[in-house]
Amino acid sequence: MALTLQAVLDHPGFGQAQPLVMSGDPAARLVRWVHSSDIYDIAPLLRGGELLLTTGLGLAGSTPAERRAYVRALADRDVAGLALELGETFPEVPDEMVREARAVGLPFIVLGCVYPFVEVTEQINSAILDRSIVRLRHADDVARALSRVLAQRGGLDGLTTTLADLVGRPVVVTDATGLVLAAAADDVPDVLRGPAATAPVTADGLLLGRLAIGHGTSDPDLVRAATDRAPEIFALEVLRGHQQPLLSGRERRLLLTSLLDGDAGGPGPLAAHAAASHIRPDSQWVGLAISSTGQQPGLALAQDVAHEVGAQALAAELDGTTYALLAVPARHATEALGTVRERLSRARGPVSALGGLGPLSGAGRSLRAADQALRLHGLSPRPGPLVLAEDVTVERLLAAVGTPLQLTDLVAEQLGGLMRARNAETLLSTLHHYLASGGSKAATARALHLRRQSVHQRLARIAEHLGHDIDDPTKQTALRLALAARSITDVASAT
């Protein structure tokens, strides 16, 4: 159980430290635990969700750059907030820490009065534990009540009405496409537009639907307990009442494997699954590949993204990588794809790759493109957690048709003379930017922060080492391919 950071700051025990929020939104952060430490390298020892209290002693004598790095490291661990006590170490608020906290979105609190940290941690952590016990009791009540309805075959309507009575709020259940399956609410659209809480209804990693609870005055802990326990019971009823069996986890893995391998039989089962899942025939499909991490599993990320854009997701994990096909309603497919890209670009931890958008007949092709792009993530011209298959088209083609030996031979044949130069890396980088700019010396100079004369000199040395005119269109094509092949071999050797 967690408290919002705002609730922690409002606690009487914490109030005696005179907290002042310098950055972040305390109402939007949950505190899982309150911890105190003056160790500079504390970030790797944290699990996320902590409110860290410090006197700043571990930062004594540190430079502004080191203090900014300290803040960034805590933000990367996803802590709930940092509270710095003003005193002997820092009599005034360090401006660089405030600016860095604002830049990375970390709540930064200044404690204006010296107050024993042990008092704060004991009081707040006790409150967190007390609420955890209350929430467990609520969860047990929800589970018992819904299990009785399930055993009595009360159906989705019975489960929904019972849950609404328990939480004292309106409740709506939809399928994975957004179709309302059951409701205990006077205004269903209002609940769906702005629910107080939602939870996915899943079975074996497959999204079956969504549970939405509306706003009300009942205990928020009871609502959170409901979203913890109710979905699994609703999932059993959805599966029991489904007219046509959904794909099992094994079947989804086999289907996605078939599409990845390009088997001729893959599109048929996918079309059958789409029909059984009530996916509109005109839906647009996009392939997604996610390299999962411990912080955020790929399946959860794929389902969250699908829900955000109103898409159905066929997803499974294969050998540590999550593969998914998202079926997006055609009427807003382009807009939805933009939202998916933006969401994946903000993901912390997982690295994702997206294929192209198209009809069901091209779903396998999009999935394979995403798989290839994920393997070539380091070659994307747009650094970040997302790579688009369209950005690494040449690299994907070379990786698909060329063996490692053939790619190495291509590099040696086209770039051998240049790679033996004393300053080879500098010249290779210059050649890459020159070709990427379409042969513009001015653009190359801007990209490398050089004077145009310096670029002219480097290009002359490149031509000398290669033994031919680098402005010859035929030679430029070969050089582009060789540079891409070199990047692929570098990625392969690194992994």
Side-chain angles (χ1 to χ4, degrees), residues 270-285:
L270 178 61
H273 165 72
S277 301
H278 306 291
I279 296 174
R280 291 178 59 90
D282 62 348
S283 293
Q284 295 288 291
W285 296 72

Side-chain angles (χ1 to χ4, degrees), residues 379 403-404 407-408 411 484-494:
L379 307 183
T403 66
L407 295 179
T408 301
V411 173
R486 180 174 180 268
S487 298
I488 294 171
T489 56
D490 286 347
V491 169
S493 62

